């Protein structure tokens, strides 16, 4: 009886292993399908290089989460190349709609995502907001935003190209500063610090 019981256990383990391996194969197959449709490694590397994230805690509770992508000249070259690859843009620039969040010449821009437990408390774009955003350039000069615009009803050009954003929980902003903050034409001058502060939380995101 004991031997039969042991045999039953062994058979069950073998069957479970077979199903597990088969399941892993299916998962890998779906993963490969997903990978083929996803953003390129080159773009994801650029996104990671130019994105900073921070979570602010108070007494073990999350007060806010912020993430921002510095839309530097270098990042926008990677963004444009990825956009052209996905949308099969012709060499003359035709064949794709104008990007919804492409950087404007003459400005220094950030895509900013802010989450707080009280979503209504996030009002960076409102006049008289309790939040303040500032940029400190490589020389230590401080800049106030030229524009803070909340991006509402965002589509894949935002949620797919910037996967860290979640419109259901936080708010997404396009923040524009004077173009001088990025330095002279050519390579972006670092370090720069994006400061997001309020009575709720304070975060400093640094690109070095």
């Amino acid at each position: 009886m004991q031997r039969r019981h042991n045999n039953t256990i062994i058979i069950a383990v073998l069957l479970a292993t077979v199903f597990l391996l088969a399941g892993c194969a299916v998962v890998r197959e779906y993963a490969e399908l997903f990978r083929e449709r996803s953003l390129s490694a080159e773009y994801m590397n650029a996104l990671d290089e130019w994105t900073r994230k921070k979570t602010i805690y108070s007494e073990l509770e999350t007060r806010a989460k912020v993430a921002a992508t510095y839309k530097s000249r270098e990042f926008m070259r990677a963004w444009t190349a990825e956009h052209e690859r996905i949308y099969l843009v012709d060499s003359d620039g035709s064949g794709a709609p104008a990007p919804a969040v492409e950087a404007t010449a003459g400005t220094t821009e950030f895509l900013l995502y802010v989450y707080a437990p009280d979503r209504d408390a996030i009002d960076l774009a409102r006049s008289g907001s309790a939040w303040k955003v500032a940029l400190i350039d490589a020389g230590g000069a401080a800049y106030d935003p030229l524009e803070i615009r909340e991006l509402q009803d965002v589509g894949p050009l935002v949620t797919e190209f910037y996967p860290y954003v979640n419109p259901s929980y936080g708010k997404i902003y396009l923040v524009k500063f004077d173009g001088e903050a990025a330095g002279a034409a050519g390579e972006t001058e670092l370090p720069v610090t994006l400061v997001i502060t309020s009575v709720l939380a304070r975060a400093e995101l640094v690109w070095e």
Side-chain angles (χ1 to χ4, degrees), residues 61-133:
E61 293 185 357
T62 299
R63 298 297 300 272
K65 294 181 180 180
V66 296
T69 297
Y70 184 4
K71 299 172 68 178
S72 64
R73 303 178 185 100
E74 296 82 356
F75 172 75
M76 288 311 300
R77 285 197 290 267
W79 191 97
T80 301
E82 186 71 355
H83 184 269
E84 291 177 350
R85 181 187 71 84
I86 291 174
Y87 285 96
L88 304 177
V89 178
D90 297 331
S91 58
D92 61 358
S94 63
V101 290
E102 186 174 3
T104 303
T107 60
T108 299
E109 302 185 11
F110 296 81
L111 187 85
L112 174 64
Y113 173 75
V114 182
Y115 160 83
D118 181 5
R119 193 175 186 277
D120 293 335
I122 309 170
D123 59 354
L124 279 69
R126 184 178 64 83
S127 176
S129 170
W131 295 80
K132 178 177 175 59
V133 182

Side-chain angles (χ1 to χ4, degrees), residues 102-177:
E102 186 174 3
T104 303
T107 60
T108 299
E109 302 185 11
F110 296 81
L111 187 85
L112 174 64
Y113 173 75
V114 182
Y115 160 83
D118 181 5
R119 193 175 186 277
D120 293 335
I122 309 170
D123 59 354
L124 279 69
R126 184 178 64 83
S127 176
S129 170
W131 295 80
K132 178 177 175 59
V133 182
L135 181 66
I136 302 173
D137 71 8
Y143 297 81
D144 288 327
L146 299 175
E147 178 186 3
I148 301 179
R149 174 161 52 94
E150 183 180 351
L151 303 180
Q152 300 178 336
D153 300 322
V154 295
L157 282 174
V158 175
T159 58
E160 296 300 322
F161 278 87
Y162 303 89
Y164 58 82
V165 305
N166 189 332
S168 299
Y169 294 98
K171 293 185 179 181
I172 307 161
Y173 295 91
L174 186 62
V175 186
K176 298 184 179 184
F177 297 91

Side-chain angles (χ1 to χ4, degrees), residues 25-44:
V26 171
V27 170
R28 283 195 298 271
E29 182 179 350
Y30 279 109
E32 289 300 324
L33 288 174
F34 175 78
R35 187 173 295 111
E36 290 176 3
R37 295 167 59 88
S38 65
L39 298 167
S40 70
E42 290 78 11
Y43 174 77
M44 293 304 297

